Amino acid sequence: MPGVGPKRAELLQKELGIVTVGDLVHLYPFRYIDRSTVVRIADIHPDLAQVQVKAMVTKVRLFAKNGAELPPEKLKFNVVSRMSVMVADDSGEMEAVFFKGVKWMYERLRPGSTFIFFGKPSVFNNRLNMVHPEVDAPDNSNSGVLTGVYPSTEKLKNSGITGKVMLRMMGTALQEVLPVVQETLPDYILKEKGLVPLTFALRQIHFPVDQNALAKASYRLKFEELFLLQLSLLKQKYVRSRNAVGLKMDVVGDAFNACYKSLPYDLTGAQKRVIREIREDMRSGHQMNRLLQGDVGSGKTMVAVLSALLAVGNGYQACIMAPTEVLAQQHFANISKYLRPTGVKAALLTGTTTAAQRREIHAGLEDGSIGILIGTHALIEDTVNFWALGLAIIDEQHRFGVDQRARLWNKGYRQIPPHVLVMTATPIPRTLAMTLYGDLDVSVIDEMPPGRKPVTTLCVGEGKRHAMHNFIRDEIAKGRQAFIVYPLIFESEKLDYKNLELGYEEIVKAFPLPQYKVAIVHGQQSAQEKAFNMDAFVAGRANILVSTTVIEVGVDVPNASVMVIESAERFGLSQLHQLRGRVGRGAERSYCILMKGTKVSKESQKRLDLLVSTENGFELAEEDMKLRGPGDLEGTMQSGLPISLNIASLAKDGLILNDARGYAQHILDRDPALSEPVNAPLAHELQRDKYQTKDYSRIS
Ligand code: ADP
Ligand code: MG
């Protein structure tokens, strides 16, 4: 391409992954500058993005590296490291700073002359300044009203590929591309959805004539991106549901009914709905691949139990896999209670199961006398064989690796994979779930069991530690219990957060025996020690449980009314939310106290404020995604799914995503294989590498 020699070509590839002219025109501006507005210096503050001012040069000074001021004669000798240019308009004064190209700028910026300075304002030594602003003659006002700003890197800028150069290259590239570009969406879609043609969109996304054209261009490109992604995922799902044979489970069965009738409470509407969805899947003859989302405490365990009983009632076995030993034990204890009226036998298999017990369990699984196996990942070891595994339930899926899930898949009955139900309390925003799990079915429990008391959340500093202790004493006096959670076990030397051991000592001092009993649980303990301490707290023998985040998932102690989180700023939002979910399960009013350290970044403070402001996990997740961007979300990183969107944003474009998904479904309903001639462009697009993903359902 004219204007791109071998050097630039290499740089573009290395820094931005751009190889072809096509790649280049698909690099869109991430924002636009309105160069039609000139700001008064008095109105500038350092939080603003780039601005332009029209100002007169009042004073120019040169400095050496050591800070000494230099006379202009020194310009010849390459000893000037910084040039300070004071500029003023009638509202105020500002400094422009240059480190490079000083000689040329010095000649240009004569005191008394006026220029347009364009750059990002900041504050240095209490003075408003702009480092390396673009300088233009005042009458040479920029013609385009909106100017695109492209992603760039230090290297690119240092090698002279500035914003201006980028714009020039883009202009050239568009000249080459636009005459030959193929429309990617069929005509009827453009008409039905009111989308502008691709050529228009490409031109306007780079060089918008006005806001309106830009909006149309951006909408078309976002819609196309999300639509094709959904189309590819839904098409895979369609193929799978046609091909993947599943165990057909026709009856509800006595076990299910016996358990259901003896429940101590009514299921919530959401629980009932989800169980119906699961039942439909399990009797469809296709394999179920369902993701069950439900906030902490929404009652997922009950759904798991009843689903497992459906499998058992049809003559199959079920397994429930939990991420930690403690949780597996608690599941086992709870579920055994629910199973009592059914006569179904459950077993617990974890890393600490003895060899003798293990043999017995293996035998029971192989002859079918054990109906439901509960355990940690120990239950997917190769030595574990089921007589007829019909349903695998995975609790808190993000803690399982891809390999582990795949192994479970292979434990089916006569080569038919078990139905799979994955449960998660990590509230994945709907938009993200649709993209990540576009080919999975998603059920949501969006209703809490009745009688749950809201949790009051406070965020306090070190000064309130004493008050916090007193508060816990009051709660203990009322017969309640408290969790105190620390982010780490051993203090890292660099970071100043409280370590668990010190914290424990402090707590034991503040809550002495015999009046108070404090239990401690952390990752370095043996399983027995952990279980002993945990049991003491669950059974109410200990008033306080000091722990690391091992209690994060699933543990249920309804009598606990206080959750103290130390160095709360160190935790991620979803982790904090999960921890808070440990309280508020009983009849009493509950509290979550976020203890924050002295150095809390703006970002962390926002997280803490968010947590104080809402208890709704999905709302939190949406907000969190807006704060951080979707790539970062817990649970998505581990899943290793590449969701690199070029223009659409999962955080902001939820509405477009919804529409795109519905529309993709609508098209597949009419033409599932995309084999009709009108849909040829779509079939062609889906051949691209980025849509040739693995079958996600198999790894989820
Ligand atoms: P999670 O979704 O976090 O796994 P659990 O299944 O542990 O939630 O349920 C939390 C608590 O709510 C448990 O004590 C459980 O017995 C109780 N529970 C579940 N469903 C209901 C319901 N429909 N009505 C009342 N309590 C319920
Ligand atoms: Mg749970």
Side-chain angles (χ1 to χ4, degrees):
M1 196 182 93
V4 183
K7 246 202 191 140
R8 274 193 181 170
E10 195 188 320
L11 262 173
L12 287 172
Q13 171 164 19
K14 263 213 188 111
E15 299 294 303
L16 296 172
I18 289 172
V19 182
T20 66
V21 176
D23 293 341
L24 188 61
V25 299
H26 287 301
L27 177 78
Y28 306 139
F30 63 95
R31 60 191 182 80
Y32 299 83
I33 299 157
D34 184 352
R35 299 286 297 256
S36 57
T37 322
V38 172
V39 181
R40 283 156 34 103
I41 291 180
D43 295 335
I44 295 178
H45 59 91
D47 289 344
L48 289 177
Q50 283 161 303
V51 294
Q52 71 186 352
V53 299
K54 185 173 174 182
M56 189 177 77
V57 177
T58 55
K59 193 172 181 185
V60 180
R61 294 189 301 165
L62 304 170
F63 295 93
K65 209 173 195 155
N66 64 8
E69 187 167 348
L70 299 170
E73 300 87 79
K74 294 284 185 188
L75 270 173
K76 305 199 257 305
F77 301 112
N78 267 342
V79 290
V80 175
S81 84
R82 176 169 62 96
M83 176 166 81
S84 157
V85 181
M86 296 309 297
V87 306
D89 63 10
D90 51 16
S91 76
E93 194 182 41
M94 172 188 93
E95 181 188 26
V97 183
F98 297 86
F99 299 97
K100 278 178 288 189
V102 168
K103 245 186 263 179
W104 190 69
M105 273 297 174
Y106 185 85
E107 288 305 317
R108 204 170 164 214
L109 299 177
R110 297 280 159 153
S113 45
T114 296
F115 295 94
I116 300 276
F117 296 90
F118 171 76
K120 164 94 185 79
S122 55
V123 166
F124 189 74
N125 278 343
N126 277 325
R127 195 154 57 186
L128 199 59
N129 77 7
M130 224 181 238
V131 178
H132 275 277
E134 274 180 36
V135 179
D136 278 313
D139 47 348
N140 185 13
S141 60
N142 285 281
S143 49
V145 183
L146 294 165
T147 309
V149 180
Y150 293 90
S152 185
T153 65
E154 278 307 306
K155 260 208 183 130
L156 284 173
K157 280 184 209 145
N158 291 338
S159 315
I161 305 190
T162 59
K164 272 186 185 169
V165 171
M166 203 66 168
L167 281 166
R168 222 167 24 233
M169 287 196 302
M170 212 52 96
T172 314
L174 284 175
Q175 266 175 16
E176 310 233 333
V177 166
L178 292 184
V180 293
V181 75
Q182 295 277 331
E183 176 59 58
T184 43
L185 297 177
D187 256 358
Y188 79 92
I189 293 186
L190 296 185
K191 279 206 193 84
E192 283 181 26
K193 296 316 267 181
L195 303 171
V196 296
L198 183 58
T199 45
F200 178 89
L202 281 177
R203 165 144 284 287
Q204 296 301 320
I205 202 77
H206 293 292
F207 298 100
V209 293
D210 56 28
Q211 288 287 1
N212 185 27
L214 175 59
K216 280 187 179 147
S218 131
Y219 184 83
R220 138 91 208 212
L221 295 169
K222 284 176 177 179
F223 183 90
E224 173 179 358
E225 179 164 51
L226 295 169
F227 169 73
L228 289 174
L229 185 64
Q230 290 302 321
L231 193 69
S232 108
L233 288 165
L234 289 171
K235 189 157 169 276
Q236 282 181 45
K237 174 173 158 183
Y238 183 86
V239 169
R240 196 196 62 227
S241 69
R242 291 216 13 242
N243 296 344
V245 178
L247 299 163
K248 204 157 157 48
M249 303 188 181
D250 288 316
V251 301
V252 172
D254 297 339
F256 181 101
N257 286 327
C259 174
Y260 194 92
K261 269 191 221 120
S262 66
L263 283 180
Y265 43 71
D266 290 332
L267 293 185
T268 62
Q271 282 170 317
K272 284 184 194 159
R273 169 170 43 78
V274 167
I275 289 170
R276 261 200 310 275
E277 287 166 353
I278 290 169
R279 166 146 168 63
E280 287 308 315
D281 281 359
M282 286 171 57
R283 70 170 174 197
S284 70
H286 300 302
Q287 188 212 13
M288 172 170 77
N289 267 287
R290 193 168 276 280
L291 177 74
L292 172 57
Q293 287 191 16
D295 210 343
V296 185
S298 61
K300 293 185 293 297
T301 313
M302 205 54 243
V303 173
V305 173
L306 288 170
S307 311
L309 288 175
L310 274 177
V312 173
N314 283 275
Y316 296 96
Q317 292 162 295
C319 69
I320 301 176
M321 187 153 71
T324 65
E325 176 106 20
V326 169
L327 195 58
Q329 282 166 2
Q330 189 167 42
H331 269 331
F332 180 68
N334 278 338
I335 292 172
S336 298
K337 259 185 281 166
Y338 292 123
L339 293 186
R340 222 162 278 150
T342 67
V344 173
K345 189 174 167 198
L348 175 69
L349 182 66
T350 70
T352 59
T353 308
T354 63
Q357 289 169 321
R358 205 171 275 261
R359 266 195 300 279
E360 199 178 309
I361 292 172
H362 286 177
L365 290 172
E366 278 167 40
D367 68 20
S369 59
I370 294 175
I372 300 177
L373 180 65
I374 296 156
T376 55
H377 50 264
L379 65 76
I380 52 169
E381 278 164 21
D382 293 335
T383 50
V384 179
N385 291 309
F386 291 85
W387 173 71
L389 181 63
L391 170 67
I393 299 173
I394 304 175
D395 198 8
E396 306 299 346
Q397 51 96 24
H398 61 285
R399 306 213 159 196
F400 281 102
V402 169
D403 291 354
Q404 294 169 315
R405 293 175 212 159
R407 275 209 239 166
L408 196 51
W409 189 280
N410 290 328
K411 290 195 182 292
Y413 177 64
R414 294 190 181 152
Q415 317 296 328
I416 302 180
H419 295 296
V420 176
L421 179 66
V422 172
M423 306 198 293
T424 179
T426 305
I428 305 169
R430 252 179 77 75
T431 48
L432 190 56
M434 274 172 146
T435 308
L436 287 181
Y437 303 106
D439 68 330
L440 285 194
D441 295 305
V442 179
S443 291
V444 182
I445 306 188
D446 50 6
E447 181 185 352
M448 285 292 182
R452 191 128 319 172
K453 292 274 157 59
V455 179
T456 306
T457 305
L458 309 160
C459 180
V460 298
E462 202 48 42
K464 296 278 189 197
R465 183 165 296 276
H466 194 66
M468 182 264 281
H469 286 168
N470 281 336
F471 182 73
I472 294 180
R473 277 188 205 104
D474 290 348
E475 286 293 299
I476 292 177
K478 288 189 229 157
R480 313 276 161 259
Q481 293 166 279
F483 291 102
I484 303 180
V485 180
Y486 290 82
L488 274 193
I489 304 178
F490 296 112
E491 185 162 55
S492 113
E493 280 170 354
K494 276 191 227 134
L495 301 170
D496 60 345
Y497 37 99
K498 282 266 168 195
N499 93 27
L500 178 73
E501 312 245 301
L502 278 180
Y504 178 63
E505 275 167 32
E506 179 201 287
I507 291 295
V508 170
K509 248 184 238 148
F511 296 87
L513 284 165
Q515 199 185 349
Y516 300 103
K517 291 182 196 66
V518 183
I520 178 165
V521 173
H522 57 75
Q524 314 255 303
Q525 288 170 322
S526 71
Q528 280 86 350
E529 255 180 299
K530 233 185 273 181
F532 178 82
N533 276 275
M534 205 59 225
D535 287 349
F537 189 69
V538 173
R541 291 191 299 277
N543 315 101
I544 298 177
L545 179 70
V546 175
S547 81
T548 53
T549 50
V550 291
I551 55 154
E552 185 188 334
V553 247
V555 181
D556 201 19
V557 183
N559 191 46
S561 63
V562 187
M563 165 64 65
V564 177
I565 305 174
E566 293 282 352
S567 305
E569 73 277 7
R570 303 278 177 195
F571 291 88
L573 194 57
S574 98
Q575 224 179 354
L576 289 170
H577 177 65
Q578 300 266 313
L579 286 169
R580 174 169 61 181
R582 299 299 112 217
V583 295
R585 302 187 152 216
E588 300 311 315
R589 204 186 162 84
S590 296
Y591 304 87
C592 175
I593 304 176
L594 307 169
M595 298 295 295
K596 61 175 177 181
T598 42
K599 289 179 217 147
V600 178
S601 69
K602 240 193 207 167
E603 187 90 344
S604 306
Q605 188 60 50
K606 265 193 203 156
R607 272 207 309 271
L608 298 179
D609 291 346
L610 210 53
L611 204 75
V612 171
S613 72
T614 178
E615 248 195 280
N616 182 317
F618 287 93
E619 213 172 285
L620 280 172
E622 296 281 357
E623 289 300 321
D624 194 30
M625 193 161 90
K626 282 182 200 152
L627 279 182
R628 299 197 291 169
D632 232 19
L633 265 195
E634 202 193 357
T636 59
M637 290 303 270
Q638 292 93 327
S639 68
L641 302 185
I643 39 155
S644 55
L645 293 175
N646 195 18
I647 182 166
S649 146
L650 293 177
K652 295 184 199 128
D653 300 320
L655 282 178
I656 305 180
L657 176 55
N658 266 329
D659 186 32
R661 182 179 172 87
Y663 195 63
Q665 184 68 62
H666 168 72
I667 286 177
L668 287 173
D669 284 346
R670 290 185 303 194
D671 181 15
L674 298 179
S675 53
E676 285 175 23
V678 286
N679 287 326
L682 298 177
H684 179 74
E685 278 302 304
L686 295 194
Q687 296 300 316
R688 290 182 187 280
D689 275 357
K690 64 175 169 182
Y691 301 115
Q692 304 307 309
T693 43
K694 290 179 238 99
D695 183 359
Y696 294 147
S697 62
R698 289 191 162 247
I699 58 172
S700 287

